[in-house]
Amino acid sequence: MARPLATQEERDHRSKQLLDAALALWQEHPDRIASVAEVAQRAGVAKGTVYLYFRSKEDLLLAAHERHVAGFFAALVARAACSERMVFDDMMLLTRQHFVEPPVVLPLATLVAGVRHKGVTPEALEAFETRVAEGLRVTGAMLLRHFALPDELAGVRLLMRSYALILGLWQLVGSEQPICRSPEVAAMLLPDYPSELDAALRALWQGTLE
Amino acid sequence: MARPLATQEERDHRSKQLLDAALALWQEHPDRIASVAEVAQRAGVAKGTVYLYFRSKEDLLLAAHERHVAGFFAALVARAACSERMVFDDMMLLTRQHFVEPPVVLPLATLVAGVRHKGVTPEALEAFETRVAEGLRVTGAMLLRHFALPDELAGVRLLMRSYALILGLWQLVGSEQPICRSPEVAAMLLPDYPSELDAALRALWQGTLE
Amino acid sequence: MARPLATQEERDHRSKQLLDAALALWQEHPDRIASVAEVAQRAGVAKGTVYLYFRSKEDLLLAAHERHVAGFFAALVARAACSERMVFDDMMLLTRQHFVEPPVVLPLATLVAGVRHKGVTPEALEAFETRVAEGLRVTGAMLLRHFALPDELAGVRLLMRSYALILGLWQLVGSEQPICRSPEVAAMLLPDYPSELDAALRALWQGTLE
Amino acid sequence: MARPLATQEERDHRSKQLLDAALALWQEHPDRIASVAEVAQRAGVAKGTVYLYFRSKEDLLLAAHERHVAGFFAALVARAACSERMVFDDMMLLTRQHFVEPPVVLPLATLVAGVRHKGVTPEALEAFETRVAEGLRVTGAMLLRHFALPDELAGVRLLMRSYALILGLWQLVGSEQPICRSPEVAAMLLPDYPSELDAALRALWQGTLE
DNA sequence: AATGAATGAGGTTTCATTCAT
DNA sequence: CATGAATGAAACCTCATTCAT
């Protein structure tokens, strides 16, 4: 039996381990949501321990999702803090790095969107939204320094619209099932997700900024 | 015991009944997915009968979702067939009528997106995608007659991008939880969904058409 | 829709078709009991039609089993009617031909034994037992002409004991699972079923006949 | 909620409780197989708990059956360890005590034989067979000290043949249906099961031992 | 703090049988 | 006689969560 973890630091570490485990399992089996037992085993703790760190399974998923979002915010802040002026392609690069290329981000975001009403505790949801709102505010404000935007709210808006497009488009065309998709449908459903996303975001930004 | 239904017409009717029941239940309890037993009872049939019409519960949900999409397509075709030239506001009207105002459409779309990998039979998924692709092709082509688009594919693209924005944005801000959302977050998370969607779509179309 | 079958002959034919179908399916998939729907489809009739010929699924299985038993009786009668004196090896030959070699006979017999209490209608069971009893009486009596038995009842007894040994031994060692059986167990569980059955029956007959 | 059971001993006890419950239910309603829910309720545990101890319902049935077999082996070992020389009647006594008189043993054995291919997990099946093989080896070896047998394998063989006869004969005549059996058939189908079994086993042993 | 055995609601699916046509 | 859509009971199993230790 593991010893009690006293410090906050240790708590955070344990928490991270659990998220790591959940994300690793999700990455290995993108087609199914790992059970709490699996996550616990992977993290090397007992099932009950998970509930010492997250009030529900959905809270855990939400936290994993937040990690992704926070990662994007951090990268955007880092880039925007740089003196060199950002252009749209810089945004696309970050988008690709944080949303398109990592295979688990958008599936998890989709799942979280669908599950939000269910098992997430109100406290966790509010905390999540508060932190995301703060992140949006900060990054939205930074955009002003690089793009021709009227005010801070416009930056927030642009970010949200972009994210909406990223997520919505992925749900339409991005989830490449292993099942065979007939050629005609594939052709109809447009080019690959990354290309189409690029074009769509470009249009959105152009329409917004001008 | 109900009498056997022989004709194709009757089969379709029964099928509709089941979808009606599922959607009605969803509308009454947006927070939970009704069980197959509930759907059957609501439709006035036995549980096993559901499986004569849908191979799995997820197939049923997908069919309900498809009905919504098909309804939008049909309305768009009807409007576009009209000689009077369409403008963006006509599109917004249809969008509001078919996606924003009906309370079940976007939650169901979200759910379907998240569940797509699970219980849906490959056949049902392929059939769904094929029909949607066909709908996109037809409606995309009609858009050419009203908007300045280079070719049919551009119409399809525009429709898909719009839908992505509608869905993605709803997942971000539209799902109004009964839970209290702190004022700051609410303020940050922008105005109401319909207004923001209008602005975002407008920007997208403007950026795309010009 | 098929035309009504008027004559008794046609009824018998239909009945045979159903048994053929059931046995063919069983032979193809010895690991599962075909559903009534499968049997019906295989026989080229509708599901409901099965119930015009058999009151329950178990009645159908019992009839299929009876066919096997009757086949053995017929062969035994044919051989015993022959003037040439039978010896034990003649019995073994018939046993092999009718029970050991056909792959479905003993599995079905086992199934019927296990299911006898359940869905078989009393009428069908009594009819089955009556006919089997008659077969036993006739064949048991014929044995008197070939083996040193005190009376007719002794012949019946010998047949029943033999059948019990055939069936019981098969249930112990004969059902070759596809699953791997560890070498030690396999060694312990004796040689193959046919050899062991031969030895066991020989012992039984020897002990019975003196 | 019952408190968790830590020790192996407690696990065994719980396991026994479940088997007891299953057998008690079987005894009360020999005509139907109790559902897992019933077994759990009878044992005073939750349904899910059953699956902590047995991987499937059939594994549970197999374990119950093994208990019977093991009980016979133990009794045989105990008797054979006794210095006093065993004779056939000692074997018959054990047979009656462990197979004929307890009303559930042979029905369950029949059921297990018929169901073996289905829900039993390969692991459980192999474990069962291994333990039974070991029991056979041990008891078969002990027979050498009491009966004129050439070697250990002959003892194993004799046991298996006997069991086959016990089981097979029961399946033929032992299962006394509540349904009325016509007098002629009853007469034909021989005396009662115990007497006939006695005679048959006697013949088998005589023929085997020479 | 950590454990993990126990819980038990919940869910999907199958399939033998019926009966209106 | 034949059909096959409808039935609905029955069954198994999973898994998020709790709580005594």
Side-chain angles (χ1 to χ4, degrees), chain D residues 4-5 45-49 52-53:
Chain D
L5 304 176
V45 302
K47 208 181 347 179
T49 305
L52 292 177
Y53 290 87

Coordinates of all heavy atoms in Angstrom, one line a residue, chain D residues 4-5 45-49 52-53, chain E residues 3-11:
Chain D
P4 N -15.5 -5.3 2.2 CA -14.6 -6.0 1.3 C -14.0 -7.2 2.1 O -13.8 -7.1 3.3 CB -13.5 -5.0 1.0 CG -14.1 -3.7 1.2 CD -15.1 -3.8 2.3
L5 N -13.9 -8.2 1.4 CA -13.3 -9.4 2.0 C -11.9 -9.6 1.5 O -11.6 -9.7 0.3 CB -14.1 -10.7 1.5 CG -15.6 -10.6 1.8 CD1 -16.3 -11.8 1.2 CD2 -15.8 -10.5 3.3
V45 N -25.7 -11.5 -2.3 CA -24.7 -10.5 -2.8 C -25.3 -9.9 -4.1 O -26.4 -10.3 -4.5 CB -23.4 -11.2 -3.2 CG1 -22.8 -11.9 -2.0 CG2 -23.6 -12.2 -4.4
A46 N -24.6 -8.9 -4.6 CA -25.1 -8.2 -5.8 C -24.7 -9.0 -7.0 O -23.8 -9.8 -7.0 CB -24.5 -6.8 -5.8
K47 N -25.5 -8.7 -8.0 CA -25.3 -9.5 -9.3 C -23.8 -9.4 -9.8 O -23.2 -10.4 -10.1 CB -26.2 -8.9 -10.3 CG -26.6 -9.9 -11.4 CD -27.6 -9.4 -12.4 CE -28.2 -8.0 -12.2 NZ -29.1 -7.6 -13.3
G48 N -23.3 -8.2 -9.7 CA -22.0 -8.0 -10.2 C -20.9 -8.8 -9.5 O -19.9 -9.1 -10.0
T49 N -21.2 -9.0 -8.2 CA -20.3 -9.7 -7.4 C -20.0 -11.1 -7.9 O -18.9 -11.7 -7.8 CB -20.8 -9.8 -5.9 OG1 -21.1 -8.5 -5.5 CG2 -19.8 -10.5 -5.0
L52 N -17.2 -11.3 -10.1 CA -15.9 -11.2 -9.4 C -15.3 -12.5 -9.1 O -14.1 -12.7 -8.9 CB -16.0 -10.3 -8.2 CG -16.3 -8.9 -8.3 CD1 -16.4 -8.2 -6.9 CD2 -15.2 -8.2 -9.1
Y53 N -16.2 -13.5 -9.0 CA -15.8 -14.9 -8.7 C -15.8 -15.8 -9.8 O -15.1 -16.8 -9.8 CB -16.6 -15.4 -7.5 CG -16.3 -14.6 -6.2 CD1 -17.0 -13.4 -5.9 CD2 -15.3 -15.1 -5.3 CE1 -16.7 -12.7 -4.7 CE2 -15.1 -14.4 -4.2 CZ -15.7 -13.2 -3.9 OH -15.4 -12.5 -2.7
Chain E
dT3 P -3.1 3.0 -4.0 OP1 -1.8 2.3 -4.5 OP2 -3.8 3.9 -4.9 O5' -4.0 1.8 -3.5 C5' -3.6 1.0 -2.4 C4' -4.8 0.2 -1.9 O4' -5.7 1.0 -1.3 C3' -5.6 -0.5 -3.0 O3' -5.3 -1.9 -2.9 C2' -7.0 -0.2 -2.8 C1' -7.0 0.4 -1.4 N1 -8.0 1.4 -1.1 C2 -9.0 1.2 -0.2 O2 -9.1 0.1 0.4 N3 -9.9 2.2 0.1 C4 -9.9 3.5 -0.6 O4 -10.7 4.3 -0.3 C5 -8.8 3.7 -1.5 C7 -8.8 5.0 -2.2 C6 -8.0 2.7 -1.8
dG4 P -5.0 -2.8 -4.2 OP1 -4.0 -3.8 -3.9 OP2 -4.9 -1.9 -5.3 O5' -6.4 -3.5 -4.3 C5' -7.0 -4.1 -3.2 C4' -8.5 -4.3 -3.4 O4' -9.2 -3.1 -3.1 C3' -8.9 -4.6 -4.8 O3' -10.0 -5.4 -4.8 C2' -9.3 -3.3 -5.4 C1' -10.0 -2.7 -4.1 N9 -10.1 -1.3 -4.1 C8 -9.6 -0.4 -5.0 N7 -9.9 0.9 -4.7 C5 -10.8 0.7 -3.7 C6 -11.5 1.7 -3.0 O6 -11.5 2.9 -3.1 N1 -12.3 1.2 -1.9 C2 -12.4 -0.2 -1.6 N2 -13.2 -0.5 -0.7 N3 -11.7 -1.1 -2.3 C4 -11.0 -0.6 -3.3
dA5 P -9.8 -7.0 -4.9 OP1 -8.6 -7.4 -4.2 OP2 -10.0 -7.3 -6.3 O5' -11.1 -7.5 -4.1 C5' -11.1 -7.3 -2.6 C4' -12.5 -7.1 -2.1 O4' -12.9 -5.8 -2.2 C3' -13.6 -8.0 -2.8 O3' -14.5 -8.3 -1.8 C2' -14.1 -7.0 -3.8 C1' -14.0 -5.7 -3.1 N9 -13.7 -4.5 -4.0 C8 -12.9 -4.5 -5.1 N7 -12.9 -3.3 -5.7 C5 -13.7 -2.5 -4.9 C6 -14.1 -1.2 -5.0 N6 -13.6 -0.4 -6.0 N1 -14.9 -0.7 -4.1 C2 -15.4 -1.5 -3.1 N3 -15.1 -2.8 -2.9 C4 -14.2 -3.2 -3.9
dA6 P -15.8 -9.2 -2.2 OP1 -16.1 -10.0 -1.1 OP2 -15.5 -9.8 -3.5 O5' -16.9 -8.1 -2.4 C5' -17.3 -7.4 -1.3 C4' -18.4 -6.3 -1.7 O4' -17.7 -5.3 -2.5 C3' -19.5 -6.9 -2.5 O3' -20.7 -6.7 -1.8 C2' -19.5 -6.1 -3.8 C1' -18.6 -4.9 -3.5 N9 -17.8 -4.4 -4.6 C8 -17.0 -5.1 -5.4 N7 -16.4 -4.4 -6.3 C5 -16.9 -3.1 -6.1 C6 -16.6 -1.9 -6.8 N6 -15.8 -1.8 -7.8 N1 -17.3 -0.8 -6.4 C2 -18.1 -0.9 -5.3 N3 -18.4 -2.0 -4.6 C4 -17.8 -3.1 -5.1
dT7 P -22.1 -7.1 -2.5 OP1 -23.0 -7.3 -1.4 OP2 -21.8 -8.1 -3.5 O5' -22.6 -5.7 -3.2 C5' -22.5 -4.5 -2.4 C4' -22.8 -3.4 -3.4 O4' -21.8 -3.2 -4.3 C3' -24.1 -3.6 -4.2 O3' -25.0 -2.5 -3.8 C2' -23.6 -3.4 -5.6 C1' -22.3 -2.7 -5.5 N1 -21.3 -2.9 -6.5 C2 -20.9 -1.9 -7.3 O2 -21.3 -0.8 -7.2 N3 -20.0 -2.2 -8.3 C4 -19.4 -3.5 -8.5 O4 -18.6 -3.6 -9.4 C5 -19.9 -4.5 -7.6 C7 -19.3 -5.9 -7.8 C6 -20.8 -4.2 -6.7
dG8 P -26.5 -2.9 -3.5 OP1 -27.1 -2.0 -2.5 OP2 -26.6 -4.4 -3.3 O5' -27.2 -2.6 -4.9 C5' -27.0 -1.3 -5.5 C4' -27.3 -1.3 -7.0 O4' -26.1 -1.7 -7.7 C3' -28.4 -2.3 -7.4 O3' -29.1 -1.8 -8.4 C2' -27.5 -3.5 -8.0 C1' -26.4 -2.7 -8.6 N9 -25.3 -3.5 -8.9 C8 -25.0 -4.7 -8.5 N7 -23.8 -5.2 -9.0 C5 -23.3 -4.1 -9.7 C6 -22.1 -4.0 -10.4 O6 -21.3 -4.8 -10.6 N1 -22.0 -2.8 -11.0 C2 -22.9 -1.7 -10.9 N2 -22.7 -0.6 -11.6 N3 -24.1 -1.8 -10.3 C4 -24.2 -3.1 -9.7
dA9 P -30.6 -1.4 -8.1 OP1 -30.8 -1.1 -6.7 OP2 -31.4 -2.5 -8.8 O5' -30.8 -0.1 -9.0 C5' -29.9 1.0 -8.7 C4' -29.3 1.5 -10.0 O4' -28.2 0.6 -10.5 C3' -30.3 1.6 -11.2 O3' -29.9 2.7 -12.0 C2' -30.0 0.3 -12.0 C1' -28.5 0.1 -11.8 N9 -28.0 -1.3 -11.9 C8 -28.6 -2.4 -11.3 N7 -27.9 -3.5 -11.6 C5 -26.8 -3.1 -12.3 C6 -25.8 -3.8 -12.8 N6 -25.6 -5.1 -12.7 N1 -24.8 -3.1 -13.5 C2 -25.0 -1.7 -13.7 N3 -26.0 -1.0 -13.2 C4 -26.9 -1.7 -12.5
dG10 P -30.9 3.3 -13.0 OP1 -30.9 4.7 -12.9 OP2 -32.2 2.5 -12.9 O5' -30.2 2.8 -14.3 C5' -28.8 2.9 -14.5 C4' -28.4 2.2 -15.7 O4' -28.0 0.9 -15.5 C3' -29.6 2.2 -16.8 O3' -29.1 2.6 -18.0 C2' -29.9 0.7 -16.8 C1' -28.6 0.0 -16.5 N9 -28.7 -1.3 -15.9 C8 -29.8 -1.8 -15.2 N7 -29.7 -3.0 -14.9 C5 -28.5 -3.4 -15.4 C6 -27.8 -4.7 -15.4 O6 -28.2 -5.7 -14.9 N1 -26.6 -4.6 -16.2 C2 -26.1 -3.5 -16.8 N2 -25.0 -3.7 -17.4 N3 -26.7 -2.4 -16.8 C4 -27.9 -2.4 -16.1
dG11 P -30.1 2.9 -19.1 OP1 -30.5 4.3 -19.1 OP2 -31.1 1.8 -19.1 O5' -29.2 2.6 -20.4 C5' -27.9 2.1 -20.3 C4' -27.7 0.9 -21.1 O4' -27.7 -0.3 -20.3 C3' -28.8 0.7 -22.1 O3' -28.4 1.0 -23.5 C2' -29.3 -0.7 -22.0 C1' -28.3 -1.4 -21.1 N9 -28.9 -2.3 -20.2 C8 -30.0 -2.0 -19.4 N7 -30.3 -3.1 -18.6 C5 -29.5 -4.1 -19.0 C6 -29.4 -5.4 -18.6 O6 -30.1 -6.0 -17.8 N1 -28.3 -6.1 -19.2 C2 -27.5 -5.5 -20.1 N2 -26.5 -6.3 -20.6 N3 -27.5 -4.3 -20.5 C4 -28.6 -3.6 -19.9

